[in-house]
């Protein structure tokens, strides 16, 4: 199976976690996009969604799926999203698509986080994928110095084909930290959260996934944490 076929398989499997009549939190990225396309087929069963990015909101609306502002929503049964890396204990790196802050916010309201990922995302130790950190633009340089002191190599994410900083849906910039071996994800998440100027770090460890639907050549495996 191709990587896209594995992503489609987990997106289909995630429909079993959709709760009828409820609001569903929806992630961002290529795997989440497959999920949105599956969700469209059963859209009449749900009340609506909360989106973790402008891109996801546009895709949901394109399918005629209602998108609520998070401020109008008190509870959410489930949040369904991809990951860049996930461990056997449900800790994740996210933010390859720059949506980490809204993803973390929406996920924090949901009762359950269901991660959908192809098998290549499962790792023993997080950090081979560069760790995204969203920052307030004026704090970019001082945050980069503090991230370097943690042992990684911070790089400013730029818009493809330019030298200009990539700007997120929140007006922030993204620093990708290369070369970390994250043996204690909860501690590192707390440490980076303490740096003034950081909006959010793409480590989802303190509140990681509750379930991971992992696409493999032998079918979709369900990991629970
Ligand atoms: O910001 C983007 C998100 O965290 C994505 O969930 C993550 O990058 C995985 O994306 P994909 O499903 O495209 O591999």
């Amino acid at each position: 199976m191709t990587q896209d076929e594995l992503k489609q398989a987990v997106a289909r499997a995630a429909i079993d976690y959709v709760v009828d009549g409820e609001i569903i939190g929806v992630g961002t990225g290529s795997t989440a996009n497959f999920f949105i396309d599956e969700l469209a087929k059963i859209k009449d069963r749900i009340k609506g969604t909360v989106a973790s990015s402008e891109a996801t909101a546009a895709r949901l609306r394109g399918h005629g799926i209602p998108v609520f502002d998070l401020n109008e929503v008190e509870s959410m049964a489930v949040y369904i999203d991809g990951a860049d890396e996930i461990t056997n204990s449900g800790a994740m790196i996210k933010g390859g698509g720059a949506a980490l802050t809204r993803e973390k916010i929406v996920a924090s309201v949901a009762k359950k986080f269901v991660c959908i990922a192809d098998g290549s995302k499962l790792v023993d130790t997080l950090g081979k994928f560069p760790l995204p950190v969203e920052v307030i633009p004026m704090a970019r340089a001082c945050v980069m110095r503090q991230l370097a002191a943690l042992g990684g190599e911070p790089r400013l994410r730029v818009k493809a084909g330019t030298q200009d900083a990539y700007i997120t849906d929140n007006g922030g910039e993204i620093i990708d930290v290369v070369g970390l071996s994250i043996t204690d994800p909860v501690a590192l998440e707390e440490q980076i959260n303490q740096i003034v100027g950081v909006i959010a770090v793409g480590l989802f460890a303190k509140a990681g996934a509750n379930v991971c639907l992992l696409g493999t050549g032998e079918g979709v495996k369900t990991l629970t944490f």
Side-chain angles (χ1 to χ4, degrees), residues 85 93 123-133 146-155 175-185 188-189 191-192 195 201-203:
E85 286 183 346
I93 285 184
V123 297
D124 289 329
T125 308
L126 298 173
K128 199 167 174 194
F129 190 93
L131 177 64
V133 180
Q146 293 179 76
L147 291 172
L150 295 177
E153 186 196 323
R155 295 180 188 165
I175 296 166
D176 290 304
V177 189
V178 177
L180 291 171
S181 175
I182 305 172
T183 49
D184 189 344
L188 186 65
E189 184 179 6
Q191 211 173 356
I192 295 177
I195 301 174
V201 54
L203 263 177

Side-chain angles (χ1 to χ4, degrees), residues 143-223:
V143 172
M144 282 172 98
R145 286 193 291 274
Q146 293 179 76
L147 291 172
L150 295 177
E153 186 196 323
R155 295 180 188 165
L156 180 67
R157 192 179 298 185
V158 293
K159 279 183 262 179
T162 76
Q163 296 298 312
D164 302 335
Y166 180 95
I167 303 296
T168 70
D169 287 349
N170 314 306
E173 293 178 357
I174 300 280
I175 296 166
D176 290 304
V177 189
V178 177
L180 291 171
S181 175
I182 305 172
T183 49
D184 189 344
V186 174
L188 186 65
E189 184 179 6
E190 279 175 0
Q191 211 173 356
I192 295 177
N193 277 336
Q194 298 298 321
I195 301 174
V196 176
V198 166
I199 300 172
V201 54
L203 263 177
F204 289 56
K206 201 167 176 205
N210 303 105
V211 175
C212 177
L213 301 174
L214 197 70
T216 75
E218 293 81 50
V220 176
K221 290 188 181 161
T222 304
L223 314 179

Side-chain angles (χ1 to χ4, degrees), residues 7 28-32 81-84 94-100 103 116 118 121 129:
K7 289 178 184 184
T28 296
S30 56
T31 320
D81 196 359
D84 298 303
K94 292 181 49 51
L100 61 151
E103 291 177 340
I116 48 177
D118 67 84
K121 308 290 183 67
F129 190 93

Side-chain angles (χ1 to χ4, degrees), residues 54-69:
E54 298 298 336
T56 286
R59 195 176 184 98
L60 288 162
R61 289 197 179 103
H63 279 301
I65 301 172
V67 180
F68 290 90
D69 185 307

